[in-house]
Amino acid sequence: MQIVETTNEGLKRAYKVTIPAKDIASRIDNEVKRIAPQVQMPGFRPGKVPANLVKKMHGEALHSDMLNTVVRESVDGLMREKQLRPALQPKVDLDQGYEEGKDAELTVELEILPNIEAPSLEGLALEKLVVPVSDEQVDEALAKLAENQKSFKDAAKTKKAAEGDQLIIDFVGRVDGTEFEGGKAEDTPLELGSGRFIPGFEDQLVGVKTGDKKTITVTFPEDYPAENLKGKEAEFDVTVQKVRVASDEAPDDEFAKSLGLESLDQLKGLLRGQLEQESAGLTRTQMKRQLLDKLAADHDFPVPPTMCEAEFDQIWQQLQAEAAQEENPDAAREEIEAEKDDYQRIAERRVRLGLLLSEIGQRNGVEVSSQEMAMLMQQAAQQYRPEDRERFIEYVRNEPMAQAQLRAPLYEEKVVDFLFDKAEVTEREVTREELEAAIEADEGGSGESSAQESATEEKPKKKAAAKKSAAKDEEAAGEAEGEEAKKPAKKASKKAASSDDDADADAEDKPAKKPAAKKAAAKK
């Protein structure tokens, strides 16, 4: 095999690889000898078919298979000889003029991972904002739980409905005297003051009694989802079947027992645990932002453009899908389009942080165990139909890239935990409001401070622009798994000598996810 480097610019590399025809022919001859004893042909005893006839019968298929094998091995050999760490799978092309019996000439193009200096963990300092859970917070959570669990009972027929009461109503809506789709219902429960119906609807029913009939007039909001109703004035004929009042749910032992618990103290303990878990999650978010901001500030190295493009494409597809679900999709698309440059910077940051976390993890022996991997596969399999779950697990076991993608988020969290252990951490007690304000302050600073933020934890404050947090969700996870995810897959090299059948087969092997449930239409 002869290797000639043709490009060496930044992280880009390109090579011309020549595979001698004699090497390919030798591989074919060896394969003929291997399979000849298994070939059966009329007129010959089993295992006695001459090699030249075997080659004549199966020569084309043998040549294709051996060429694929030689190409794959040559690309792997190139990586070893040049000590290359590919960022993504190399692009491998076989010379279009190649014919059997001639040398095979390959063009191999790739981007390599940058050399990252071992990050110094000395002097890493973080502040941990801790929120103690007070008895008052537990009591407030208990009161909300009791409110959510309240039931209603029929009131006297003379009872006038007030805010907080529940009505059972029939209604028919008309626009310009004509009934419209979705504007009619019977025996519909409506709690006055809940805000479930369009503005003005509930207010006009305050004071009604059982058996009352009333015509109310409302105007649909300009941003109402149904185009034919936006901004339109409508009349609703409402019949009140019942007025019902809330039954007070006293948060006592009996209330706790109605929820399947033994006592009120046990219920309070569960609520305290939930509040502590929520606070711990916010604390971790704030600490992780500090950590990643420090790493990003201290490390600036080139990142492979194709990795950034792939990361941006993933972000963009997610944003476009979310925009399509907005009440005004066109406006949402325009807003994210205006911030396209910001999302491209976020993509670059995600790649850089991912590579940095990977380097830290590899240098310090951070691993995801086989048991943890098995758990991840089982969890991921739940999104598929029961009959497809084993197929999905088998698919992941046989696909290194699929394994890396599944493993990456947990790997990142383990690296972050490792860094937390290495850091000098000082604790400071704050209120929940102060912790949330600190998170918002971080958002207002860099705007790109976290690797795995949720949609409510990201600047800017504008509604559509807040989707940047979704773009940054799992910020480093896609790259944090390290070089195992970057190695060229074995089947990829076959593209040099075969069609796209392998890719199609991969697509067929992977089971389809369960169909997503349709969202229920909102009353508003």
Side-chain angles (χ1 to χ4, degrees):
M1 179 177 70
Q2 181 183 2
I3 300 173
V4 177
E5 185 177 70
T6 58
T7 300
N8 187 332
E9 299 174 357
L11 299 177
K12 292 184 178 181
R13 300 288 186 274
Y15 300 89
K16 182 178 179 181
V17 179
T18 302
I19 307 171
K22 63 178 182 180
D23 290 351
I24 302 173
S26 176
R27 295 295 291 267
I28 294 174
D29 290 341
N30 290 336
E31 184 66 8
V32 168
K33 292 177 182 177
R34 188 185 71 82
I35 68 172
Q38 307 166 28
V39 175
Q40 296 184 10
M41 183 181 295
F44 295 92
R45 286 180 296 166
K48 298 299 182 179
V49 181
N52 62 325
L53 290 181
V54 174
K55 192 170 183 180
K56 184 176 181 180
M57 287 177 59
H58 303 285
E60 185 175 346
L62 287 172
H63 178 265
S64 178
D65 288 345
M66 287 303 101
L67 181 60
N68 286 334
T69 300
V70 171
V71 167
R72 183 179 67 246
E73 292 177 353
S74 298
V75 173
D76 290 346
L78 168 66
M79 301 301 152
R80 289 192 300 270
E81 181 174 331
K82 298 297 183 181
Q83 298 183 340
L84 301 174
R85 300 189 304 160
L88 296 173
Q89 292 182 5
K91 179 183 177 183
V92 182
D93 291 318
L94 179 65
D95 180 30
Q96 295 296 318
Y98 171 74
E99 295 178 2
E100 185 175 352
K102 292 185 177 181
D103 293 348
E105 293 186 349
L106 308 177
T107 299
V108 182
E109 299 177 355
L110 70 155
E111 288 178 356
I112 61 173
L113 294 173
N115 290 320
I116 304 172
E117 294 184 7
S120 173
L121 305 182
E122 297 296 327
L124 181 60
L126 299 172
E127 182 180 42
K128 182 178 182 178
L129 303 184
V130 180
V131 179
V133 176
S134 66
D135 293 340
E136 290 76 11
Q137 289 174 303
V138 175
D139 290 339
E140 182 181 345
L142 182 61
K144 288 181 180 178
L145 178 62
E147 173 70 16
N148 292 334
Q149 294 291 324
K150 69 181 177 182
S151 58
F152 292 89
K153 61 183 180 181
D154 294 350
K157 292 184 178 181
T158 56
K159 167 77 165 74
K160 293 184 177 180
E163 187 169 312
D165 291 341
Q166 185 189 66
L167 303 181
I168 305 299
I169 60 175
D170 302 339
F171 60 86
V172 178
R174 297 179 178 85
V175 172
D176 297 330
T178 303
E179 292 185 22
F180 55 89
E181 184 179 358
K184 183 177 182 178
E186 297 179 352
D187 295 329
T188 300
L190 172 62
E191 183 180 345
L192 297 183
S194 65
R196 285 180 56 217
F197 280 49
I198 58 178
F201 192 103
E202 297 171 24
D203 296 341
Q204 296 180 57
L205 293 177
V206 172
V208 298
K209 302 187 299 295
T210 298
D212 282 356
K213 294 184 178 181
K214 186 172 185 179
T215 299
I216 62 176
T217 302
V218 294
T219 300
F220 283 94
E222 293 292 340
D223 61 353
Y224 194 74
E227 290 290 336
N228 61 319
L229 298 176
K230 287 183 177 180
K232 295 289 184 67
E233 184 178 273
E235 285 188 345
F236 284 87
D237 294 332
V238 181
T239 300
V240 181
Q241 301 289 359
K242 292 180 181 179
V243 176
R244 313 184 77 196
V245 294
S247 298
D248 292 333
E249 287 285 359
D252 53 17
D253 285 340
E254 290 303 315
F255 175 66
K257 290 177 181 178
S258 73
L259 298 176
L261 303 175
E262 294 180 357
S263 65
L264 181 61
D265 286 342
Q266 185 184 14
L267 175 57
K268 285 186 175 181
L270 291 174
L271 292 173
R272 182 180 295 276
Q274 290 177 356
L275 292 171
E276 289 173 345
Q277 188 174 10
E278 291 173 8
S279 296
L282 290 174
T283 295
R284 182 180 176 85
T285 295
Q286 193 265 343
M287 281 186 66
K288 187 173 179 180
R289 287 184 171 180
Q290 287 184 70
L291 172 66
L292 295 180
D293 278 347
K294 288 178 182 292
L295 291 175
D298 294 341
H299 299 85
D300 185 17
F301 49 83
V303 291
T306 52
M307 290 184 72
C308 295
E309 291 168 9
E311 197 65 53
F312 173 77
D313 288 343
Q314 182 180 351
I315 293 171
W316 201 245
Q317 288 173 13
Q318 181 180 353
L319 292 170
Q320 293 293 331
E322 291 176 355
Q325 300 298 319
E326 294 286 344
E327 292 181 358
N328 190 335
D330 291 339
R333 291 190 189 97
E334 288 179 8
E335 193 152 3
I336 62 174
E337 188 71 38
E339 296 181 329
K340 195 169 186 176
D341 290 345
D342 289 340
Y343 292 119
Q344 288 174 329
R345 284 191 292 272
I346 288 172
E348 181 176 334
R349 176 187 168 97
R350 285 172 65 162
V351 172
R352 183 174 289 109
L353 278 172
L355 294 175
L356 185 57
L357 289 175
S358 173
E359 191 72 18
I360 294 172
Q362 290 181 35
R363 288 177 181 268
N364 293 279
V366 177
E367 294 181 348
V368 173
S369 69
S370 57
Q371 292 85 353
E372 289 170 328
M373 189 62 196
M375 181 185 67
L376 291 173
M377 288 192 291
Q378 289 292 343
Q379 290 174 344
Q382 298 307 308
Q383 64 187 310
Y384 295 92
R385 296 183 300 239
E387 61 270 23
D388 286 336
R389 288 171 187 170
E390 283 303 319
R391 284 183 58 208
F392 168 77
I393 292 174
E394 190 64 24
Y395 167 81
V396 174
R397 285 175 180 153
N398 295 326
E399 288 294 333
M401 289 296 290
Q403 292 176 32
Q405 290 171 358
L406 196 59
R407 185 188 292 114
L410 177 59
Y411 184 84
E412 176 187 327
E413 291 307 309
K414 296 188 78 166
V415 175
V416 169
D417 286 336
F418 168 80
L419 292 172
F420 283 168
D421 290 340
K422 291 293 183 181
E424 180 181 339
V425 179
T426 57
E427 291 190 5
R428 177 162 64 93
E429 273 195 13
V430 295
T431 64
R432 170 97 175 218
E433 292 72 22
E434 289 172 330
L435 176 56
E436 291 173 345
I439 293 174
E440 290 179 4
D442 286 342
E443 293 166 2
S446 69
E448 301 174 4
S449 56
S450 176
Q452 288 183 310
E453 299 170 20
S454 69
T456 58
E457 298 170 353
E458 166 77 13
K459 79 108 182 181
K461 304 304 180 202
K462 295 184 293 181
K463 180 180 177 183
K467 291 182 181 295
K468 285 187 183 179
S469 59
K472 288 166 56 182
D473 189 35
E474 298 180 2
E475 179 160 355
E479 287 73 42
E481 178 57 20
E483 295 167 30
E484 180 179 351
K486 311 301 184 299
K487 292 178 182 178
K490 297 300 182 183
K491 286 187 179 180
S493 297
K494 290 186 179 182
K495 291 172 64 180
S498 65
S499 67
D500 293 331
D501 292 344
D502 291 319
D504 294 338
D506 284 348
E508 292 171 3
D509 287 342
K510 188 174 181 180
K513 291 184 181 179
K514 291 184 291 189
K518 293 183 178 179
K519 292 184 178 179
K523 286 280 193 312
K524 277 192 175 183

